[in-house]
């Protein structure tokens, strides 16, 4: 009897270990994570404008219905990614996510410097290659060196009223997310 | 005396006697003279009614593994399914999770983020606050009216939405599902008074709908709070229950 109780205690301890392993492994085995969902809105390495955030038809969980969104999923394996957007007269914010859906870098229209999105995302080795042959407008770019080769960028723009919605959607549709050849 | 004793040794001795008796039984089949009481016979008679030690071992091992799997996987599922467990900061009725959705998040939070595919706000974008109870501690119900009174922390812009417990926006009868800081009518001292209700209200009104318990989400954009200035002393609107139907 005592022996069985000891075995059960051992089972609980083993269960604790299984609990920890299971929780840590969840991000590696989910199929409905943000990285997978983002791929549904269009090809990688370009900004895709998301459909309007409406009850029952939210493009991604936890988005704000007061905002218009564009998302660009990319891989740095083939080269650095350059992001450009100009969104007039409204609040906008930008966030870079890694493959696990965690935000690694973010800013908004007031902290962006010049009020527009002008950014370069690259790996450490690409940065050293770029230093030898820098682009002309490097001074005005926000350069993000990242360890995450797979990432996605999300651009949110506030829609103050219905009349402005068209302009903002058009500005998002013009946002650029391009692969640089180096 | 030995017969009454229940300890193993005497029984074993009796078993030995049986075994040897059987061997020496007259007319019994003999397998050669060398057939002496062997430890095998001894074991058979002695242990047959009970389970062998190895059977106990297997049964116990099986029990332990079942307990480990049920407890381990079950508790992991519950912990990840029930939402954020750690890293919350409470401000009145509002809760925020500053590290959720960042590489600094705890493993439970990271698992929840991955499983739900939620898109968190980056630190440079803003901060989201959640409330699912009123100032009396009761769960927010869609059939009740609520008043949100007070101020928000400093920020460029904020939006207020109502979701169900899983973060899905509520279907409303009105044409909108969000209220933002630019639409708000304020008092002279900067305080606002918002009514959260199913049916249209004069003044600041956030429409809600559905019949499930709801969560209010206040997203504060471009706020100095995210850059580490103290979260402890900031004022958040009070949630006061009104009439229910």
């Amino acid at each position: 009897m005592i022996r069985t109780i000891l075995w059960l205690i051992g089972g609980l301890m083993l269960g604790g270990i299984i609990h920890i392993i299971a929780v840590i492994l969840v991000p590696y085995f989910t199929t409905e994570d943000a990285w997978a969902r983002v791929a549904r809105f269009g090809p990688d390495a370009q900004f895709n404008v998301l459909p309007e955030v409406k009850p029952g038809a939210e493009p991604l969980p936890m988005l704000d219905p007061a905002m218009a969104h564009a998302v660009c999923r990319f891989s740095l394996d083939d080269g650095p990614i350059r992001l450009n957007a100009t969104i007039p007269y409204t609040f906008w914010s930008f966030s870079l996510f890694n493959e696990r859906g965690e935000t690694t870098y973010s800013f908004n229209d007031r902290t962006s410097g010049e009020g527009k999105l002008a950014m370069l995302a690259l790996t450490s080795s690409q940065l050293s290659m770029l230093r030898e042959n820098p682009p002309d407008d490097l001074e005005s770019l926000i350069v993000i060196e990242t360890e995450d080769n797979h990432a996605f960028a999300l651009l949110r723009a506030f829609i103050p009223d219905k009349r402005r919605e068209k302009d903002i959607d058009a500005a998002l549709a013009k946002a650029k997310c391009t692969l640089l050849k180096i | 005396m030995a017969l009454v004793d229940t300890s193993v040794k005497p029984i074993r001795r009796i078993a030995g006697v049986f075994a040897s008796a059987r061997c020496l039984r007259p007319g019994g089949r003999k397998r050669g003279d060398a057939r002496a009481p062997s430890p095998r016979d001894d074991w058979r008679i002695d242990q047959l009614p009970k389970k062998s030690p190895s059977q106990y071992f297997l049964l116990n091992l099986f029990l332990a593994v079942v307990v480990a799997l049920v407890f381990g996987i079950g508790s992991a599922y519950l912990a990840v399914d029930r939402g954020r467990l750690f890293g919350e900061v409470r401000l009145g009725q509002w809760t925020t999770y500053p590290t959720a959705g960042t590489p600094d998040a705890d493993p439970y939070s990271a698992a929840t983020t991955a499983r739900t595919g939620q898109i968190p706000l980056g630190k440079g974008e803003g901060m989201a606050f959640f409330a699912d109870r009123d100032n009396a501690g009761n769960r927010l119900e869609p059939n009740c009216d609520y008043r949100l009174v007070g101020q928000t922390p400093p920020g460029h812009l904020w939006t207020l939405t109502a979701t169900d417990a899983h973060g899905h926006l509520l279907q409303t009868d009105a044409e909108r599902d969000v209220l933002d800081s630019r639409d708000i009518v304020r008092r002279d001292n900067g305080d606002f008074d918002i009514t959260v209700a199913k049916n249209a209200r004069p003044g600041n009104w956030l429409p809600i709908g559905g019949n499930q318990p709801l969560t209010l989400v206040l997203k504060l954009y471009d706020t100095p709070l995210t850059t580490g200035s103290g979260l402890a002393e900031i004022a958040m609107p009070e949630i006061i229950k009104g009439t229910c139907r």
Side-chain angles (χ1 to χ4, degrees):
Chain A
M1 190 60 203
I2 288 175
R3 185 162 292 223
T4 305
I5 290 171
L6 285 175
W7 273 97
L8 289 178
I9 292 172
L12 284 179
M13 289 169 132
L14 183 64
I17 296 170
I18 291 176
H19 172 98
I20 292 168
I21 294 172
V23 168
I24 289 172
L25 287 184
V26 164
Y28 299 93
F29 289 96
T30 46
T31 50
E32 280 294 289
D33 58 2
W35 171 255
R37 289 175 200 235
V38 160
R40 293 175 197 152
F41 301 106
D44 284 5
Q46 72 173 54
F47 267 115
N48 300 303
V49 179
L50 301 193
E52 195 185 338
V53 182
K54 276 192 233 158
E58 293 163 75
L60 293 167
M62 306 286 274
L63 293 184
D64 196 325
M67 301 266 172
H69 302 82
V71 68
C72 170
R73 197 176 97 142
F74 59 83
S75 158
L76 293 177
D77 294 335
D78 307 321
I81 288 281
R82 177 146 182 183
L83 301 155
N84 278 89
T86 309
I87 296 149
Y89 316 115
T90 187
F91 169 83
W92 59 265
S93 69
F94 170 86
S95 185
L96 198 63
F97 293 83
N98 63 20
E99 203 174 349
R100 291 178 297 285
E102 298 162 340
T103 100
T104 52
Y105 188 83
S106 58
F107 56 84
N108 61 56
D109 62 336
R110 290 212 280 200
T111 49
S112 66
E114 294 186 355
K116 50 187 173 182
L117 173 66
M119 203 183 111
L120 197 59
L122 35 64
T123 62
S124 310
S125 60
Q126 286 163 358
L127 181 63
S128 50
M129 281 157 79
L130 196 86
R131 281 212 181 95
E132 293 164 16
N133 184 16
D136 304 335
D137 58 346
L138 189 63
E139 291 296 304
S140 63
L141 288 178
I142 297 171
V143 179
I144 308 289
E145 187 186 339
T146 172
E147 303 293 310
D148 307 300
N149 277 19
H150 291 169
F152 65 93
L154 179 73
L155 195 52
R156 315 175 203 244
F158 178 66
I159 308 165
D161 52 62
K162 281 278 164 201
R163 278 172 300 146
R164 298 285 309 284
E165 195 171 354
K166 239 180 203 168
D167 294 347
I168 290 163
D169 279 345
L172 285 179
K174 269 191 224 153
K176 291 233 154 43
C177 174
T178 44
L179 186 72
L180 286 191
K181 294 281 174 221
I182 54 167
Chain B
M1 193 183 74
L3 283 171
V4 199
D5 199 334
T6 51
S7 68
V8 177
K9 246 184 180 171
I11 293 175
R12 209 167 263 233
R13 207 186 305 140
I14 294 164
V17 169
F18 277 132
S20 40
R22 193 173 53 187
C23 283
L24 297 174
R25 210 183 300 146
R29 246 204 289 164
K30 275 188 185 176
R31 274 195 207 126
D33 294 337
R35 183 83 164 91
S38 73
R40 226 183 116 77
D41 292 332
D42 194 330
W43 169 81
R44 209 162 41 192
I45 294 167
D46 181 23
Q47 298 285 341
L48 207 59
K50 297 187 195 167
K51 287 198 171 72
S52 74
S54 69
Q55 274 175 306
Y56 269 119
F57 174 78
L58 286 177
L59 189 70
N60 281 332
L61 183 69
F62 176 74
L63 262 178
V65 168
V66 167
V67 165
L69 286 175
V70 169
F71 172 68
I73 294 176
S75 63
Y77 177 80
L78 285 179
V80 173
D81 197 53
R82 286 196 51 195
R84 313 276 180 213
L85 288 176
F86 305 113
E88 61 168 41
V89 177
R90 287 192 163 276
L91 297 157
Q93 292 95 62
W94 301 87
T95 310
T96 186
Y97 306 87
T99 58
T102 72
D104 301 330
D106 62 89
Y108 293 97
S109 190
T112 303
T113 303
R115 227 174 73 81
T116 55
Q118 288 173 4
I119 305 289
L121 281 176
K123 277 205 165 70
E125 296 187 288
M127 202 169 217
F129 295 87
F130 304 88
D132 58 8
R133 286 175 193 279
D134 62 18
N135 61 357
N138 297 316
R139 194 79 180 74
L140 300 181
E141 295 295 336
N143 292 323
C144 297
D145 296 355
Y146 295 93
R147 280 174 64 215
L148 265 67
V149 184
Q151 288 192 0
T152 63
H156 185 157
L157 169 77
W158 55 256
T159 64
L160 180 70
T161 48
T163 70
D164 65 14
H166 303 287
H168 303 298
L169 289 171
L170 299 180
Q171 298 275 4
T172 65
D173 292 334
E175 277 186 6
R176 63 190 172 86
D177 39 34
V178 57
L179 195 65
D180 68 72
S181 54
R182 295 177 194 200
D183 293 339
I184 289 284
V185 182
R186 290 165 203 268
R187 296 190 196 131
D188 290 346
N189 62 0
D191 279 14
F192 54 73
D193 192 333
I194 298 170
T195 307
V196 177
K198 268 188 175 168
N199 302 320
R201 291 303 142 92
N204 306 315
W205 170 50
L206 176 72
I208 54 171
N211 43 26
Q212 286 182 36
L214 56 110
T215 300
L216 294 173
V217 185
L218 183 76
K219 285 180 174 158
L220 193 58
Y221 292 96
D222 188 17
T223 167
L225 296 179
T226 53
T227 50
S229 68
L231 267 171
E233 307 239 320
I234 62 171
M236 290 291 289
E238 184 99 3
I239 304 172
I240 304 160
K241 192 178 194 167
T243 52
C244 295
R245 279 171 300 276

